Amino acid sequence: MMRKSGSTIIKHFKSSSVGRTSWTPKSPLPLTPSFPQIFRIPAAGDLSNFCSRRFESVNAEKMPDSDTTDRNHNQALVFPEGKVKFTPEMSFISETAEERECCYRVLDDNGSQILSSNYVEVSKEVAVKMYTNMVTLQTMDTIFYEAQRQGRISFYLTTVGEEATNIASAAALTIDDIVFPQYREAGVLLWRGFTLQEFANQCFSNKADYGKGRQMPIHYGSNKLNYVTIASTVATQLPQAVGAAYSLKMDTKDACVVAYVGDGGTSEGDFHAALNFAAVKEAPVIFFCRNNGWAISTPTSDQFRSDGVVVKGRAYGIRSIRVDGNDALAVYGAVHAARDMAIREQRPILIEALTYRVGHHSTSDDSTKYRPVEEIEWWKMERDPVSRFRKWMENNSWWSDKQELEARNSARKQILHAIQEAEKVDKPPIADIFTDVYDSPSSDLREQEKLLRDTIQRHPRDYPSDFPL
Amino acid sequence: MGLSRFGGLVKGLGVARRRPFATSTSSSSSTAAGGGTIVRGTGSKSLNLYSAINQALHIALETDPRSYVFGEDVSFGGVFRCTTGLADRFGNQRVFNTPLCEQGIVGFGIGLAAMGNRAVAEIQFADYIFPAFDQIVNEAAKFRYRSGNQFNCGGLTIRAPYGAVGHGGHYHSQSPEAFFCHAPGLKVVIPRSPLQAKGLLLSCIRDPNPVVFFEPKWLYRLSVEEVPEHDYMLPLSEAEVIREGTDITLVGWGAQLSIMEQACKEAEKDGISCELIDLRTLLPWDKDTVEASVRKTGRLLISHEAPVTAGFGAEISASIVERCFLRLEAPVARVCGLDTPFPLIFEPFYMPTKNKILDAIKSTVNF
């Protein structure tokens, strides 16, 4: 039960500059893949490698007898790779551009709208929903984290500091868009309607957990909400997301795939594999990278030496944007635009959302061991995406202190209740050890189940008692 | 015309003489011992292994519009011609080349399958499957289980040519099946002949679980038999007794079976009656058929090209000893590849040859 995101009026449209693509809203078109209308080919020459099929036959094109030369005496030659201009001057492309890629933002640090920005409007209804979801997410994170500290659940990881990346991106999608998360995107699932009880059930591994207690806490999944089950493996979801997007493309669905990954995940081979496949197959997939500065204890300076992640898009032929991940409106707008391009133009998009991981990596981590407490505190107090959005809401008179108190109290009560309930529920039945390995258990598994049941009967005290047999 | 069990040697193809090869046997016994659905008397054609596989792929794409075939170089027909004609017939949106990236190929296939499609991913040589190992073992094998059956990638089939080819060396000869048999959630299937390959591959593609299908490349051109032209499937996880005997049970798969059969024939001259079983599916494997045979014969010999240590023969041996210890007359014998990387010029020495098998048969029988 998910409504499409609110109105999409574009304000203060900026003119495009060389080499960049500005996005304009178009009236809904049938899904025929087309080249972008405003995309300016950089002045490097007649590069024919934008075509997906350069030659009609698989045989190499016949080479011309002599090189063609232009008025500047720069020779041009045709390779299987396409036509490129030649130069007699040896020069290397610099390892960095002169300036880093700019970061798109709509709200300044005090939650005031930057007047010159073009952004996608959100209605009051959507904004309130976004904000209350962020509040719920913050409250959920606080209480579940505490529950782990108290030994009530075995593990937890928070999205503290990254609430906008989760909620605002989710708000710009429709329920038909398939989400392939990494593991720090519980907010996306929350937005879609996963209940606090459902979150709690998974964390407590009880029999109501849709995952049947097989994975650690926070490994949520919901086929009903088109949110593919989380796995601890990093970046493996990325090429899978491309395959899923290709399916949407083939079925001409009005939907895209959104694959989330962190800065660390972009070092994995699967990131490279996925972006390359997505570009070649022209798959409607948004790669949303939460660059929060840390992969456990590894800062981005130990992760890569590029200008972050956004510049990698061009290497694969993928349109990309860098956004302020702590600016809910910027994230919302970028994802909205990306979705539109991904579906209408049938192409992948890369979004790098710069943000900061305020929390520890997980309950198994104490990040004060590798970064200064002052740094964490600064980001928490000065750059909190939730209070920034709150200020904007209050400036619009869409939120008040009274509502704030109500929202936080209500969330807290519900979460505590959900935890209490989840703790009471039985664990999943023993049979669930053996189901779903295959579509139906093999004879080996049936035999092993029988042997296990015999063992349990003989040595009941070896086993916890809250499992139905 | 009878259906031969391995296909026959196609004469005049300039085959490397180092490996003796079974000649066509026109036995009239049906090969559908495991309950296959081959209807006798329908149209059939003499096909080699790659053509039979090609036919299976044509049928798979024909019968399910949401099925796809992809991998390196599949568009023009593939380096072994298994995908000939598919792109022309079904279009390049359903049959396409991928970038050279096995982890991408399998990851992409998992995603496609997760959306309810049949994804037939080709890995060009089994030797190159390892970059995809994480996607296969950590992702495909666990996709259904870890999601509590909310999601699955059962539509995924990974095909790869495997095994010795006479001149393949380290990286065109490997038999990596044992690595995958250790991943619950996967199925591993290996055909011995064209007729088997077509029926087993169609079953793999249509099975609602991710399957790794290893094709014995040595047999791509050399193994020829009458293959029914229609759509048929052979059952998974059912072994097939392809030669009956009473003194010793031999278990193998793929190309190795024809070597084993030659050994069986020679053993017969010495009065040893050998029962030969094609496992066909290695995971989950048909223990009952092998057990029943060993209860009859009291002796077991397993042969595979892969190195002996921790090869799949070890699993078969351990399981059968558990079940049949008191019935066994002799230790279980394994005649396998050496524990070395596959050596090029030394291939004849590395391989589990007919005579190595024959010697092991005799010493097992005379234990």
PDB file of all heavy atoms in Angstrom, chain A residues 152-154 198-218 422 425-429 466-467:
ATOM      1  N   ARG A 152      19.736  -8.649  24.788  1.00  0.00           N
ATOM      2  CA  ARG A 152      18.438  -9.189  24.363  1.00  0.00           C
ATOM      3  C   ARG A 152      18.454  -9.616  22.902  1.00  0.00           C
ATOM      4  O   ARG A 152      17.709 -10.505  22.503  1.00  0.00           O
ATOM      5  CB  ARG A 152      17.339  -8.159  24.623  1.00  0.00           C
ATOM      6  CG  ARG A 152      17.151  -7.927  26.123  1.00  0.00           C
ATOM      7  CD  ARG A 152      16.479  -6.614  26.401  1.00  0.00           C
ATOM      8  NE  ARG A 152      15.027  -6.761  26.397  1.00  0.00           N
ATOM      9  CZ  ARG A 152      14.191  -5.759  26.646  1.00  0.00           C
ATOM     10  NH1 ARG A 152      14.670  -4.543  26.873  1.00  0.00           N
ATOM     11  NH2 ARG A 152      12.895  -5.966  26.631  1.00  0.00           N
ATOM     12  N   ILE A 153      19.254  -8.935  22.075  1.00  0.00           N
ATOM     13  CA  ILE A 153      19.515  -9.434  20.720  1.00  0.00           C
ATOM     14  C   ILE A 153      21.023  -9.532  20.550  1.00  0.00           C
ATOM     15  O   ILE A 153      21.773  -8.882  21.270  1.00  0.00           O
ATOM     16  CB  ILE A 153      18.893  -8.551  19.612  1.00  0.00           C
ATOM     17  CG1 ILE A 153      19.357  -7.087  19.725  1.00  0.00           C
ATOM     18  CG2 ILE A 153      17.379  -8.657  19.625  1.00  0.00           C
ATOM     19  CD1 ILE A 153      18.829  -6.183  18.602  1.00  0.00           C
ATOM     20  N   SER A 154      21.437 -10.331  19.600  1.00  0.00           N
ATOM     21  CA  SER A 154      22.868 -10.652  19.518  1.00  0.00           C
ATOM     22  C   SER A 154      23.682  -9.599  18.779  1.00  0.00           C
ATOM     23  O   SER A 154      24.884  -9.519  18.909  1.00  0.00           O
ATOM     24  CB  SER A 154      23.037 -12.000  18.819  1.00  0.00           C
ATOM     25  OG  SER A 154      22.492 -11.927  17.501  1.00  0.00           O
ATOM     26  N   GLU A 198       7.684  -6.286  12.677  1.00  0.00           N
ATOM     27  CA  GLU A 198       8.405  -7.126  11.716  1.00  0.00           C
ATOM     28  C   GLU A 198       9.917  -6.959  11.873  1.00  0.00           C
ATOM     29  O   GLU A 198      10.668  -7.934  11.800  1.00  0.00           O
ATOM     30  CB  GLU A 198       7.965  -6.803  10.281  1.00  0.00           C
ATOM     31  CG  GLU A 198       6.550  -7.298   9.968  1.00  0.00           C
ATOM     32  CD  GLU A 198       6.007  -6.785   8.630  1.00  0.00           C
ATOM     33  OE1 GLU A 198       6.236  -5.597   8.304  1.00  0.00           O
ATOM     34  OE2 GLU A 198       5.339  -7.564   7.922  1.00  0.00           O
ATOM     35  N   PHE A 199      10.355  -5.716  12.101  1.00  0.00           N
ATOM     36  CA  PHE A 199      11.783  -5.498  12.360  1.00  0.00           C
ATOM     37  C   PHE A 199      12.212  -6.268  13.600  1.00  0.00           C
ATOM     38  O   PHE A 199      13.235  -6.957  13.626  1.00  0.00           O
ATOM     39  CB  PHE A 199      12.084  -4.014  12.578  1.00  0.00           C
ATOM     40  CG  PHE A 199      12.183  -3.189  11.323  1.00  0.00           C
ATOM     41  CD1 PHE A 199      11.206  -2.268  10.992  1.00  0.00           C
ATOM     42  CD2 PHE A 199      13.287  -3.326  10.476  1.00  0.00           C
ATOM     43  CE1 PHE A 199      11.308  -1.498   9.834  1.00  0.00           C
ATOM     44  CE2 PHE A 199      13.392  -2.558   9.318  1.00  0.00           C
ATOM     45  CZ  PHE A 199      12.397  -1.643   8.993  1.00  0.00           C
ATOM     46  N   ALA A 200      11.409  -6.138  14.654  1.00  0.00           N
ATOM     47  CA  ALA A 200      11.764  -6.781  15.921  1.00  0.00           C
ATOM     48  C   ALA A 200      11.798  -8.299  15.772  1.00  0.00           C
ATOM     49  O   ALA A 200      12.688  -8.971  16.311  1.00  0.00           O
ATOM     50  CB  ALA A 200      10.780  -6.366  17.010  1.00  0.00           C
ATOM     51  N   ASN A 201      10.834  -8.834  15.054  1.00  0.00           N
ATOM     52  CA  ASN A 201      10.799 -10.286  14.887  1.00  0.00           C
ATOM     53  C   ASN A 201      12.067 -10.813  14.228  1.00  0.00           C
ATOM     54  O   ASN A 201      12.591 -11.863  14.604  1.00  0.00           O
ATOM     55  CB  ASN A 201       9.573 -10.694  14.059  1.00  0.00           C
ATOM     56  CG  ASN A 201       8.280 -10.495  14.817  1.00  0.00           C
ATOM     57  OD1 ASN A 201       8.261 -10.476  16.050  1.00  0.00           O
ATOM     58  ND2 ASN A 201       7.175 -10.327  14.095  1.00  0.00           N
ATOM     59  N   GLN A 202      12.545 -10.079  13.241  1.00  0.00           N
ATOM     60  CA  GLN A 202      13.767 -10.532  12.587  1.00  0.00           C
ATOM     61  C   GLN A 202      14.938 -10.451  13.550  1.00  0.00           C
ATOM     62  O   GLN A 202      15.749 -11.376  13.634  1.00  0.00           O
ATOM     63  CB  GLN A 202      14.032  -9.685  11.326  1.00  0.00           C
ATOM     64  CG  GLN A 202      15.039 -10.304  10.355  1.00  0.00           C
ATOM     65  CD  GLN A 202      16.488 -10.187  10.809  1.00  0.00           C
ATOM     66  OE1 GLN A 202      16.868  -9.229  11.474  1.00  0.00           O
ATOM     67  NE2 GLN A 202      17.317 -11.167  10.452  1.00  0.00           N
ATOM     68  N   CYS A 203      15.002  -9.351  14.298  1.00  0.00           N
ATOM     69  CA  CYS A 203      16.138  -9.187  15.225  1.00  0.00           C
ATOM     70  C   CYS A 203      16.129 -10.224  16.335  1.00  0.00           C
ATOM     71  O   CYS A 203      17.178 -10.609  16.832  1.00  0.00           O
ATOM     72  CB  CYS A 203      16.137  -7.775  15.814  1.00  0.00           C
ATOM     73  SG  CYS A 203      16.649  -6.531  14.612  1.00  0.00           S
ATOM     74  N   PHE A 204      14.928 -10.667  16.710  1.00  0.00           N
ATOM     75  CA  PHE A 204      14.844 -11.678  17.756  1.00  0.00           C
ATOM     76  C   PHE A 204      14.815 -13.100  17.201  1.00  0.00           C
ATOM     77  O   PHE A 204      14.717 -14.059  17.955  1.00  0.00           O
ATOM     78  CB  PHE A 204      13.614 -11.429  18.649  1.00  0.00           C
ATOM     79  CG  PHE A 204      13.850 -10.355  19.662  1.00  0.00           C
ATOM     80  CD1 PHE A 204      13.652  -9.015  19.351  1.00  0.00           C
ATOM     81  CD2 PHE A 204      14.316 -10.678  20.937  1.00  0.00           C
ATOM     82  CE1 PHE A 204      13.892  -8.016  20.281  1.00  0.00           C
ATOM     83  CE2 PHE A 204      14.556  -9.688  21.875  1.00  0.00           C
ATOM     84  CZ  PHE A 204      14.351  -8.357  21.553  1.00  0.00           C
ATOM     85  N   SER A 205      14.881 -13.238  15.870  1.00  0.00           N
ATOM     86  CA  SER A 205      14.931 -14.555  15.225  1.00  0.00           C
ATOM     87  C   SER A 205      13.803 -15.462  15.690  1.00  0.00           C
ATOM     88  O   SER A 205      13.992 -16.658  15.896  1.00  0.00           O
ATOM     89  CB  SER A 205      16.265 -15.259  15.517  1.00  0.00           C
ATOM     90  OG  SER A 205      17.348 -14.423  15.231  1.00  0.00           O
ATOM     91  N   ASN A 206      12.615 -14.882  15.840  1.00  0.00           N
ATOM     92  CA  ASN A 206      11.513 -15.724  16.290  1.00  0.00           C
ATOM     93  C   ASN A 206      10.764 -16.300  15.096  1.00  0.00           C
ATOM     94  O   ASN A 206      11.113 -16.046  13.947  1.00  0.00           O
ATOM     95  CB  ASN A 206      10.591 -14.946  17.237  1.00  0.00           C
ATOM     96  CG  ASN A 206       9.903 -13.784  16.547  1.00  0.00           C
ATOM     97  OD1 ASN A 206       9.586 -13.843  15.362  1.00  0.00           O
ATOM     98  ND2 ASN A 206       9.669 -12.718  17.289  1.00  0.00           N
ATOM     99  N   LYS A 207       9.720 -17.074  15.379  1.00  0.00           N
ATOM    100  CA  LYS A 207       9.087 -17.819  14.290  1.00  0.00           C
ATOM    101  C   LYS A 207       8.295 -16.922  13.361  1.00  0.00           C
ATOM    102  O   LYS A 207       7.867 -17.363  12.303  1.00  0.00           O
ATOM    103  CB  LYS A 207       8.228 -18.953  14.824  1.00  0.00           C
ATOM    104  CG  LYS A 207       6.941 -18.536  15.477  1.00  0.00           C
ATOM    105  CD  LYS A 207       6.085 -19.776  15.700  1.00  0.00           C
ATOM    106  CE  LYS A 207       4.675 -19.385  16.089  1.00  0.00           C
ATOM    107  NZ  LYS A 207       4.316 -19.790  17.441  1.00  0.00           N
ATOM    108  N   ALA A 208       8.077 -15.669  13.768  1.00  0.00           N
ATOM    109  CA  ALA A 208       7.393 -14.738  12.861  1.00  0.00           C
ATOM    110  C   ALA A 208       8.360 -14.044  11.912  1.00  0.00           C
ATOM    111  O   ALA A 208       7.935 -13.311  11.012  1.00  0.00           O
ATOM    112  CB  ALA A 208       6.622 -13.698  13.680  1.00  0.00           C
ATOM    113  N   ASP A 209       9.651 -14.240  12.105  1.00  0.00           N
ATOM    114  CA  ASP A 209      10.649 -13.669  11.189  1.00  0.00           C
ATOM    115  C   ASP A 209      10.445 -14.278   9.816  1.00  0.00           C
ATOM    116  O   ASP A 209      10.422 -15.503   9.659  1.00  0.00           O
ATOM    117  CB  ASP A 209      12.060 -13.986  11.714  1.00  0.00           C
ATOM    118  CG  ASP A 209      13.161 -13.653  10.699  1.00  0.00           C
ATOM    119  OD1 ASP A 209      12.937 -12.799   9.821  1.00  0.00           O
ATOM    120  OD2 ASP A 209      14.248 -14.272  10.795  1.00  0.00           O
ATOM    121  N   TYR A 210      10.295 -13.428   8.809  1.00  0.00           N
ATOM    122  CA  TYR A 210      10.112 -13.958   7.447  1.00  0.00           C
ATOM    123  C   TYR A 210      11.339 -14.742   6.996  1.00  0.00           C
ATOM    124  O   TYR A 210      11.239 -15.606   6.141  1.00  0.00           O
ATOM    125  CB  TYR A 210       9.821 -12.830   6.456  1.00  0.00           C
ATOM    126  CG  TYR A 210       8.597 -12.024   6.811  1.00  0.00           C
ATOM    127  CD1 TYR A 210       8.643 -10.640   6.842  1.00  0.00           C
ATOM    128  CD2 TYR A 210       7.395 -12.655   7.138  1.00  0.00           C
ATOM    129  CE1 TYR A 210       7.528  -9.894   7.162  1.00  0.00           C
ATOM    130  CE2 TYR A 210       6.282 -11.912   7.479  1.00  0.00           C
ATOM    131  CZ  TYR A 210       6.343 -10.530   7.491  1.00  0.00           C
ATOM    132  OH  TYR A 210       5.241  -9.792   7.823  1.00  0.00           O
ATOM    133  N   GLY A 211      12.474 -14.416   7.557  1.00  0.00           N
ATOM    134  CA  GLY A 211      13.696 -15.139   7.210  1.00  0.00           C
ATOM    135  C   GLY A 211      13.871 -16.437   7.963  1.00  0.00           C
ATOM    136  O   GLY A 211      14.874 -17.128   7.798  1.00  0.00           O
ATOM    137  N   LYS A 212      12.908 -16.774   8.819  1.00  0.00           N
ATOM    138  CA  LYS A 212      12.885 -18.030   9.571  1.00  0.00           C
ATOM    139  C   LYS A 212      14.110 -18.199  10.458  1.00  0.00           C
ATOM    140  O   LYS A 212      14.616 -19.303  10.650  1.00  0.00           O
ATOM    141  CB  LYS A 212      12.728 -19.241   8.628  1.00  0.00           C
ATOM    142  CG  LYS A 212      11.441 -19.169   7.801  1.00  0.00           C
ATOM    143  CD  LYS A 212      11.281 -20.372   6.875  1.00  0.00           C
ATOM    144  CE  LYS A 212      10.105 -20.163   5.926  1.00  0.00           C
ATOM    145  NZ  LYS A 212       9.983 -21.204   4.917  1.00  0.00           N
ATOM    146  N   GLY A 213      14.593 -17.071  11.001  1.00  0.00           N
ATOM    147  CA  GLY A 213      15.646 -17.156  12.005  1.00  0.00           C
ATOM    148  C   GLY A 213      16.999 -17.597  11.500  1.00  0.00           C
ATOM    149  O   GLY A 213      17.888 -17.937  12.281  1.00  0.00           O
ATOM    150  N   ARG A 214      17.182 -17.559  10.180  1.00  0.00           N
ATOM    151  CA  ARG A 214      18.422 -18.144   9.672  1.00  0.00           C
ATOM    152  C   ARG A 214      19.591 -17.187   9.655  1.00  0.00           C
ATOM    153  O   ARG A 214      20.743 -17.613   9.588  1.00  0.00           O
ATOM    154  CB  ARG A 214      18.184 -18.688   8.258  1.00  0.00           C
ATOM    155  CG  ARG A 214      17.292 -19.907   8.296  1.00  0.00           C
ATOM    156  CD  ARG A 214      16.568 -20.109   6.996  1.00  0.00           C
ATOM    157  NE  ARG A 214      15.735 -21.306   7.063  1.00  0.00           N
ATOM    158  CZ  ARG A 214      14.832 -21.622   6.181  1.00  0.00           C
ATOM    159  NH1 ARG A 214      14.639 -20.832   5.130  1.00  0.00           N
ATOM    160  NH2 ARG A 214      14.111 -22.725   6.310  1.00  0.00           N
ATOM    161  N   GLN A 215      19.301 -15.885   9.701  1.00  0.00           N
ATOM    162  CA  GLN A 215      20.401 -14.930   9.590  1.00  0.00           C
ATOM    163  C   GLN A 215      20.457 -14.029  10.822  1.00  0.00           C
ATOM    164  O   GLN A 215      19.489 -13.872  11.560  1.00  0.00           O
ATOM    165  CB  GLN A 215      20.241 -14.059   8.340  1.00  0.00           C
ATOM    166  CG  GLN A 215      20.422 -14.804   7.024  1.00  0.00           C
ATOM    167  CD  GLN A 215      20.857 -13.866   5.927  1.00  0.00           C
ATOM    168  OE1 GLN A 215      22.053 -13.694   5.673  1.00  0.00           O
ATOM    169  NE2 GLN A 215      19.902 -13.228   5.271  1.00  0.00           N
ATOM    170  N   MET A 216      21.580 -13.356  10.964  1.00  0.00           N
ATOM    171  CA  MET A 216      21.800 -12.427  12.074  1.00  0.00           C
ATOM    172  C   MET A 216      20.760 -11.316  12.049  1.00  0.00           C
ATOM    173  O   MET A 216      20.149 -11.053  11.000  1.00  0.00           O
ATOM    174  CB  MET A 216      23.182 -11.778  11.936  1.00  0.00           C
ATOM    175  CG  MET A 216      24.329 -12.711  12.239  1.00  0.00           C
ATOM    176  SD  MET A 216      25.880 -12.016  11.643  1.00  0.00           S
ATOM    177  CE  MET A 216      26.056 -10.601  12.712  1.00  0.00           C
ATOM    178  N   PRO A 217      20.593 -10.628  13.178  1.00  0.00           N
ATOM    179  CA  PRO A 217      19.727  -9.444  13.181  1.00  0.00           C
ATOM    180  C   PRO A 217      20.150  -8.455  12.101  1.00  0.00           C
ATOM    181  O   PRO A 217      21.315  -8.421  11.688  1.00  0.00           O
ATOM    182  CB  PRO A 217      19.941  -8.860  14.579  1.00  0.00           C
ATOM    183  CG  PRO A 217      20.331 -10.018  15.419  1.00  0.00           C
ATOM    184  CD  PRO A 217      21.110 -10.941  14.513  1.00  0.00           C
ATOM    185  N   ILE A 218      19.183  -7.659  11.701  1.00  0.00           N
ATOM    186  CA  ILE A 218      19.222  -6.597  10.681  1.00  0.00           C
ATOM    187  C   ILE A 218      19.267  -7.128   9.255  1.00  0.00           C
ATOM    188  O   ILE A 218      19.298  -6.344   8.313  1.00  0.00           O
ATOM    189  CB  ILE A 218      20.311  -5.480  10.911  1.00  0.00           C
ATOM    190  CG1 ILE A 218      21.736  -5.939  10.633  1.00  0.00           C
ATOM    191  CG2 ILE A 218      20.183  -4.925  12.302  1.00  0.00           C
ATOM    192  CD1 ILE A 218      22.214  -5.721   9.220  1.00  0.00           C
ATOM    193  N   ALA A 422       8.089  -9.383  20.608  1.00  0.00           N
ATOM    194  CA  ALA A 422       8.998 -10.258  19.854  1.00  0.00           C
ATOM    195  C   ALA A 422       9.704 -11.234  20.777  1.00  0.00           C
ATOM    196  O   ALA A 422       9.951 -12.386  20.419  1.00  0.00           O
ATOM    197  CB  ALA A 422      10.018  -9.422  19.088  1.00  0.00           C
ATOM    198  N   VAL A 425       7.611 -14.395  21.589  1.00  0.00           N
ATOM    199  CA  VAL A 425       7.256 -15.352  20.528  1.00  0.00           C
ATOM    200  C   VAL A 425       8.268 -16.488  20.493  1.00  0.00           C
ATOM    201  O   VAL A 425       9.463 -16.282  20.683  1.00  0.00           O
ATOM    202  CB  VAL A 425       7.198 -14.641  19.160  1.00  0.00           C
ATOM    203  CG1 VAL A 425       6.908 -15.621  18.033  1.00  0.00           C
ATOM    204  CG2 VAL A 425       6.167 -13.527  19.193  1.00  0.00           C
ATOM    205  N   ASP A 426       7.759 -17.691  20.248  1.00  0.00           N
ATOM    206  CA  ASP A 426       8.621 -18.870  20.103  1.00  0.00           C
ATOM    207  C   ASP A 426       9.653 -18.696  19.006  1.00  0.00           C
ATOM    208  O   ASP A 426       9.440 -17.948  18.052  1.00  0.00           O
ATOM    209  CB  ASP A 426       7.765 -20.084  19.712  1.00  0.00           C
ATOM    210  CG  ASP A 426       7.281 -20.847  20.922  1.00  0.00           C
ATOM    211  OD1 ASP A 426       7.775 -20.580  22.037  1.00  0.00           O
ATOM    212  OD2 ASP A 426       6.423 -21.726  20.734  1.00  0.00           O
ATOM    213  N   LYS A 427      10.702 -19.469  19.114  1.00  0.00           N
ATOM    214  CA  LYS A 427      11.663 -19.547  18.019  1.00  0.00           C
ATOM    215  C   LYS A 427      11.025 -20.356  16.878  1.00  0.00           C
ATOM    216  O   LYS A 427      10.015 -21.020  17.077  1.00  0.00           O
ATOM    217  CB  LYS A 427      12.938 -20.246  18.506  1.00  0.00           C
ATOM    218  CG  LYS A 427      13.679 -19.455  19.582  1.00  0.00           C
ATOM    219  CD  LYS A 427      14.058 -18.072  19.112  1.00  0.00           C
ATOM    220  CE  LYS A 427      14.775 -17.290  20.185  1.00  0.00           C
ATOM    221  NZ  LYS A 427      14.351 -15.892  20.278  1.00  0.00           N
ATOM    222  N   PRO A 428      11.636 -20.324  15.689  1.00  0.00           N
ATOM    223  CA  PRO A 428      11.062 -21.103  14.591  1.00  0.00           C
ATOM    224  C   PRO A 428      11.181 -22.602  14.856  1.00  0.00           C
ATOM    225  O   PRO A 428      12.025 -23.032  15.639  1.00  0.00           O
ATOM    226  CB  PRO A 428      11.929 -20.697  13.383  1.00  0.00           C
ATOM    227  CG  PRO A 428      12.691 -19.498  13.798  1.00  0.00           C
ATOM    228  CD  PRO A 428      12.822 -19.556  15.275  1.00  0.00           C
ATOM    229  N   PRO A 429      10.328 -23.412  14.221  1.00  0.00           N
ATOM    230  CA  PRO A 429      10.383 -24.854  14.456  1.00  0.00           C
ATOM    231  C   PRO A 429      11.658 -25.479  13.881  1.00  0.00           C
ATOM    232  O   PRO A 429      12.252 -24.962  12.937  1.00  0.00           O
ATOM    233  CB  PRO A 429       9.152 -25.382  13.721  1.00  0.00           C
ATOM    234  CG  PRO A 429       8.860 -24.362  12.683  1.00  0.00           C
ATOM    235  CD  PRO A 429       9.301 -23.035  13.249  1.00  0.00           C
ATOM    236  N   ASP A 466      13.297 -23.273  23.838  1.00  0.00           N
ATOM    237  CA  ASP A 466      12.178 -22.499  23.279  1.00  0.00           C
ATOM    238  C   ASP A 466      12.004 -22.700  21.783  1.00  0.00           C
ATOM    239  O   ASP A 466      11.547 -21.817  21.062  1.00  0.00           O
ATOM    240  CB  ASP A 466      12.332 -21.003  23.615  1.00  0.00           C
ATOM    241  CG  ASP A 466      13.708 -20.465  23.260  1.00  0.00           C
ATOM    242  OD1 ASP A 466      14.627 -21.280  23.007  1.00  0.00           O
ATOM    243  OD2 ASP A 466      13.874 -19.236  23.260  1.00  0.00           O
ATOM    244  N   PHE A 467      12.359 -23.889  21.297  1.00  0.00           N
ATOM    245  CA  PHE A 467      12.151 -24.209  19.893  1.00  0.00           C
ATOM    246  C   PHE A 467      11.088 -25.275  19.756  1.00  0.00           C
ATOM    247  O   PHE A 467      11.255 -26.381  20.285  1.00  0.00           O
ATOM    248  CB  PHE A 467      13.441 -24.757  19.268  1.00  0.00           C
ATOM    249  CG  PHE A 467      14.494 -23.713  19.056  1.00  0.00           C
ATOM    250  CD1 PHE A 467      15.266 -23.258  20.113  1.00  0.00           C
ATOM    251  CD2 PHE A 467      14.718 -23.184  17.798  1.00  0.00           C
ATOM    252  CE1 PHE A 467      16.239 -22.291  19.920  1.00  0.00           C
ATOM    253  CE2 PHE A 467      15.694 -22.234  17.596  1.00  0.00           C
ATOM    254  CZ  PHE A 467      16.457 -21.772  18.660  1.00  0.00           C
TER     255      PHE A 467
END
